[in-house]
Amino acid sequence: MLYLLISCVSFILISKSFTHKPIQAWEGKLKLSSFWFWGEFSSFLVSWFQKSRLAIELFQPIICKLKKMMTFSSKVENVEERDSLSLLDLPDLTLECILEKLSPSGLCTMGGVCTSLRERCRDDRLWERHMMEKWGRLIGAAAYREWQLHVASRSRVRNISDQTKKKGLFESLVSKIWPFSWIRPKLATSDCKARTSLPVESVMSLYLSLESGKFWFPAQVYNRENGNVGFMLSCYDAQVSYDSRTNTFQARYSPYGRRATEDNIPWDRLRAAPVDTPSHKLHVTDCLHDLKPGDHIEIQWRRNKEFPYGWWYGVIGHLELCDGHENRCRCHYSDTVTLEFSQYTPGSRWRQVTINRKDHREEGDEADGFYGGIRKLYNEEEIARWKRLWPSQVLE
């Protein structure tokens, strides 16, 4: 009977300990030790009571409760062990492989988790791959130069802004006075924003500026003004900006001409400039002696001296006295080169033009326009793109 009384008192103490309010934060260190103590003590009582059939019958509900508490204690320990693991505990190579698989939006989301992941997710190596996959065909040397100017401009603006926000003498004194330390969080917050802001010279900054449409960059637009007959099979310089809502582009052309802007330009009508020649300068031709009938070319053309050049697609044709037979053709030995624009009907004034192979510079007049430099097309993809843009009917 004495054993029974001691057991009852023990169970009353145990049950009361489980009904207490949650342990306070400052008592957190005692939490695991208390769980361990009551778990061990409960194991002892359960094994002791199981030896007696009478004890099992009388205290079966209490034994079940103790078993549940033991299970709960082990689950708490397992949860804490699992919570101690972190993504940053992975080896560097493994973490880099994971980050390389993320999309640009995934990298931005992952970078918001903590400071360490933010620095990793801004790594230029991760963003260079995304730049090449989406923007590599459009961002050429001219666009990168424009970006460098854009970065330098933003840096100057930031430096001026930082100078105007420097602490005055009064703020410096106040920030060092202990009783007014409640003022300092605001100052610290501004400093924190400056430290965590995205570097303007990073590849990530370039990518996000392109995606948001904030950065206008130089490119060339095929069939300007959505395939207007007057610009069919041509390619003109423009400043373009991306619209992520429609997955198209806006373009601003040179102020000369009938129209200065164009919207909803698809990707397949854009390219990076193939040569580093401004639209108002004559391209230096280096392929004149290699031109022969059947070669694909682009040639500069402009309406008058005030207009910018556009690049127009054509082929090298045969001279008037040549029958075009391969074995008898001597056109490539002549100083005169015939340029053909087959998109126009035979007899049209735009169908053919001849140039001098030895001394070719800008040729033409105010009536027919001015023909400038020539570049020979060697890339089959470039030629195929021009053919895909071929008009559905012959032009007059």
Side-chain angles (χ1 to χ4, degrees):
M1 199 61 192
L2 179 60
Y3 289 130
L4 180 61
L5 180 60
I6 294 174
S7 302
C8 291
V9 172
S10 300
F11 282 122
I12 291 172
L13 293 175
I14 294 172
S15 61
K16 286 186 177 181
S17 67
F18 288 120
T19 58
H20 284 171
K21 294 182 180 179
I23 300 174
Q24 300 297 324
W26 59 272
E27 297 175 329
K29 296 183 179 179
L30 300 177
K31 185 175 181 180
L32 291 179
S33 61
S34 63
F35 270 121
W36 177 82
F37 172 77
W38 289 118
E40 293 295 327
F41 184 64
S42 300
S43 300
F44 167 76
L45 291 177
V46 169
S47 61
W48 183 74
F49 280 122
Q50 283 179 343
K51 296 179 181 179
S52 173
R53 180 178 300 177
L54 178 61
I56 293 175
E57 294 178 355
L58 292 176
F59 301 104
Q60 185 67 30
I62 300 176
I63 293 174
C64 293
K65 184 175 181 180
L66 289 174
K67 286 182 177 181
K68 290 181 180 179
M69 293 306 300
M70 292 168 62
T71 303
F72 174 75
S73 176
S74 63
K75 287 182 178 180
V76 169
E77 293 176 358
N78 291 335
V79 167
E80 290 182 353
E81 289 179 0
R82 289 197 299 268
D83 289 345
S84 64
L85 296 177
S86 169
L87 186 64
L88 296 175
D89 294 330
L90 296 173
D92 290 342
L93 183 59
T94 304
L95 182 56
E96 288 180 6
C97 291
I98 294 174
L99 296 180
E100 287 176 356
K101 300 296 182 181
L102 295 180
S103 64
S105 60
L107 285 173
C108 292
T109 302
M110 183 70 76
V113 174
C114 65
T115 302
S116 180
L117 285 176
R118 180 175 65 243
E119 297 303 321
R120 288 177 177 269
C121 291
R122 290 178 176 180
D123 194 325
D124 284 348
R125 291 176 298 175
L126 297 175
W127 288 93
E128 284 171 356
R129 180 174 64 86
H130 295 297
M131 276 293 301
M132 289 301 300
E133 288 179 356
K134 184 168 185 177
W135 296 98
R137 188 174 62 84
L138 287 184
I139 304 300
Y144 276 112
R145 285 197 300 270
E146 190 76 15
W147 173 249
Q148 293 299 324
L149 294 175
H150 179 74
V151 168
S153 175
R154 289 176 59 182
S155 298
R156 285 196 298 268
V157 171
R158 178 172 294 182
N159 290 337
I160 294 174
S161 178
D162 291 342
Q163 290 176 3
T164 58
K165 292 181 179 179
K166 283 185 176 179
K167 296 179 182 179
L169 177 61
F170 177 74
E171 290 178 336
S172 300
L173 292 174
V174 169
S175 63
K176 296 178 181 178
I177 299 176
W178 180 82
F180 297 97
S181 59
W182 57 273
I183 300 177
R184 299 182 66 181
K186 294 184 178 180
L187 301 175
T189 301
S190 62
D191 293 340
C192 181
K193 289 182 178 180
R195 289 195 300 268
T196 60
S197 61
L198 183 63
V200 293
E201 69 277 4
S202 66
V203 180
M204 179 181 177
S205 179
L206 172 58
Y207 186 95
L208 297 181
S209 296
L210 289 169
E211 288 287 327
S212 64
K214 295 179 180 179
F215 175 50
W216 289 76
F217 61 94
Q220 293 182 344
V221 183
Y222 290 99
N223 292 353
R224 174 177 168 174
E225 298 184 20
N226 197 23
N228 185 291
V229 175
F231 296 98
M232 190 62 67
L233 291 186
S234 68
C235 200
Y236 275 80
D237 286 18
Q239 292 285 325
V240 300
S241 172
Y242 180 62
D243 185 355
S244 59
R245 297 170 300 175
T246 60
N247 194 30
T248 59
F249 293 83
Q250 298 173 304
R252 294 194 297 234
Y253 300 105
S254 170
Y256 298 101
R258 296 172 299 175
R259 195 175 176 187
T261 62
E262 183 180 354
D263 299 327
N264 301 319
I265 302 173
W267 284 81
D268 57 2
R269 284 182 52 210
L270 292 175
R271 74 175 183 182
V275 292
D276 196 14
T277 304
S279 60
H280 284 84
K281 290 188 176 181
L282 181 70
H283 175 66
V284 178
T285 306
D286 58 0
C287 61
L288 288 174
H289 296 285
D290 298 331
L291 296 178
K292 60 185 183 298
D295 286 344
H296 300 264
I297 63 161
E298 293 178 10
I299 185 170
Q300 288 178 310
W301 182 87
R302 58 181 174 178
R303 170 66 68 180
N304 57 51
K305 296 287 188 177
E306 294 181 351
F307 275 59
Y309 284 113
W311 289 96
W312 294 72
Y313 172 74
V315 295
I316 303 300
H318 292 275
L319 297 175
E320 186 176 357
L321 299 178
C322 179
D323 60 4
H325 192 278
E326 182 178 357
N327 294 331
R328 294 189 294 269
C329 177
R330 293 293 182 268
C331 296
H332 56 285
Y333 295 113
S334 174
D335 291 341
T336 302
V337 180
T338 300
L339 311 180
E340 284 192 353
F341 305 95
S342 301
Q343 63 268 34
Y344 295 100
T345 59
S348 170
R349 64 172 180 163
W350 308 110
R351 175 79 180 199
Q352 282 188 348
V353 65
T354 59
I355 63 171
N356 189 297
R357 189 190 299 269
K358 288 186 176 180
D359 187 26
H360 170 64
R361 294 186 178 274
E362 186 179 59
E363 299 180 15
D365 51 40
E366 294 291 339
D368 295 332
F370 295 88
Y371 295 87
I374 299 172
R375 59 179 296 260
K376 182 178 177 179
L377 302 182
Y378 299 94
N379 191 318
E380 293 295 331
E381 175 57 31
E382 278 191 287
I383 299 171
R385 175 174 290 186
W386 280 113
K387 291 182 176 180
R388 287 195 297 268
L389 296 170
W390 201 269
S392 57
Q393 58 184 5
V394 180
L395 307 177
E396 296 294 335

